[in-house]
Each structure stands twice: as structure tokens, then as C-alpha cells.
Amino acid sequence: DKNEVLLMNFNDGLPADWNDKFSHIISCEVLCHAASKADLMQQLKRVLKPGGAFAFTDIMGADGADEKALKDFTDRNATTAMARPSDYRNILTTAGFRDVSFCDFSGHLGTYFQCMVDQINKHRDAMKSEGVTDAYLDKWMESLTQRVDIQTSKEVFAWGVFMCRKNGPIYGI
């Protein structure tokens, strides 16, 4: 009863009555879909309590990546432009977050993508029994296989954990 899950489009803005509502925000692999990452970061800061923490992982383009390879990826996936680690660092700082840090785990991406392929292969029948279609799984597999190939050959993606907090006393202390 302490957690609530809401299905919403963060590109439409976060509810006005959420001002200073959350002590912590955690996001995994979704911010790449934000129409305006700068606007979303302002919204997230607004809904954090003073001193609140924000941590997220996201698939990003590597700083200095091959732009054509990234464009090929974004054209096939539900994102328009991939931020770079340096972009997120600047966006978070500009939004007024403090103690911005990034743990770079980009070296693990090839393995991460391959493990996803392996899981689909291992659990395909179970996913289909839950209503996932062959067409969806085939498209997902194709995309993941392309990611493995692109990352292995060109290292165009970056991945890691960003951490920061809203100004104020560290929450809970």
C-alpha cells in the first residue's frame, strides 16, 4: 500500500498536485522517450521533496558516437533523439539538480543486449502463452540483434546510472 503505479504519458506533464510529493524517483530505461528531456527534468525536480533523490538508467548515444548508426537505431525505435551522458549531465545541472554523478556501465551493453536475446529465446513459449505475438517477439529480437551488432562493431551506445538530488537537506536525515 506504499507504492502506487500509474500509467501516464510524461510528455503531457506531471500532475500539478504532485509538487514536492516524492522523496525518491527511480526511472529505468524510459527517459529516452521524452519529447523534451529538459522539460521533463524540470517536472521531476518539481515533484521531488527538498533534498529528494533522483536516480535513473537510460540507453544513450555515446559521446562522439557515429551519428548515422544512432539515427538508424532511433528511426526503428520509439525515440526521436538519443541524449549523450554529457547532455544529461548538462540538463540535470541546468534544471537545478545538485550532486550530479554518472556511473558508466557502457562496457556491459553488448552483454546486456545479448542476455535479453537469450531470455527471449528461453522464455518465448511462456511469453506467447501470456498473449505476446510472434510478430512482436520477432521484431524485438531483430532490434536486439541489431543493437548487439552495432554496439560490438561501433560502440555507439552508452549506458549507466545517473544520480542527483534536489537542493535541500538530505531527505530523512
Side-chain angles (χ1 to χ4, degrees):
D1 63 321
K2 291 189 179 228
N3 295 313
E4 181 179 355
V5 176
L6 299 174
L7 181 60
M8 60 188 310
N9 183 345
F10 56 64
N11 289 311
D12 295 335
L14 301 177
D17 64 341
W18 283 9
N19 289 351
D20 298 326
K21 181 174 181 168
F22 301 102
S23 61
H24 299 80
I25 297 173
I26 300 170
S27 172
C28 298
E29 315 302 321
V30 297
L31 300 180
C32 59
H33 303 289
S36 170
K37 290 163 185 58
D39 290 346
L40 180 58
M41 296 306 169
Q42 289 288 346
Q43 290 280 317
L44 292 169
K45 185 178 145 225
R46 176 180 61 79
V47 303
L48 270 175
K49 292 179 179 181
F54 173 37
F56 69 93
T57 64
D58 205 12
I59 184 74
M60 298 167 274
D63 287 314
D66 177 328
E67 293 299 322
K68 182 182 179 328
L70 282 175
K71 175 119 176 66
D72 290 346
F73 173 80
T74 59
D75 285 351
R76 286 189 311 271
N77 290 276
T79 185
T80 54
M82 295 185 84
R84 308 303 196 269
S86 58
D87 295 334
Y88 273 131
R89 194 177 298 276
N90 291 335
I91 291 167
L92 290 164
T93 302
T94 300
F97 284 101
R98 59 182 292 176
D99 305 328
V100 176
S101 64
F102 175 62
C103 294
D104 188 351
F105 296 114
S106 300
H108 297 279
L109 270 174
T111 301
Y112 173 70
F113 292 147
Q114 185 61 54
C115 285
M116 291 172 69
V117 168
D118 296 344
Q119 289 299 308
I120 293 169
N121 286 330
K122 182 177 179 180
H123 300 288
R124 186 178 190 101
D125 289 339
M127 288 186 269
K128 287 172 56 178
S129 73
E130 295 288 326
V132 180
T133 66
D134 276 320
Y136 180 88
L137 291 171
D138 291 343
K139 184 175 180 179
W140 193 14
M141 286 288 288
E142 179 184 356
S143 175
L144 287 169
T145 302
Q146 289 169 348
R147 290 181 207 182
V148 170
D149 294 343
I150 291 169
Q151 187 65 9
T152 301
S153 65
K154 299 187 180 193
E155 295 184 346
V156 298
F157 299 114
W159 183 80
V161 180
F162 275 93
M163 295 152 286
C164 57
R165 66 185 189 91
K166 184 175 178 176
N167 198 33
I170 295 177
Y171 190 82
I173 294 179

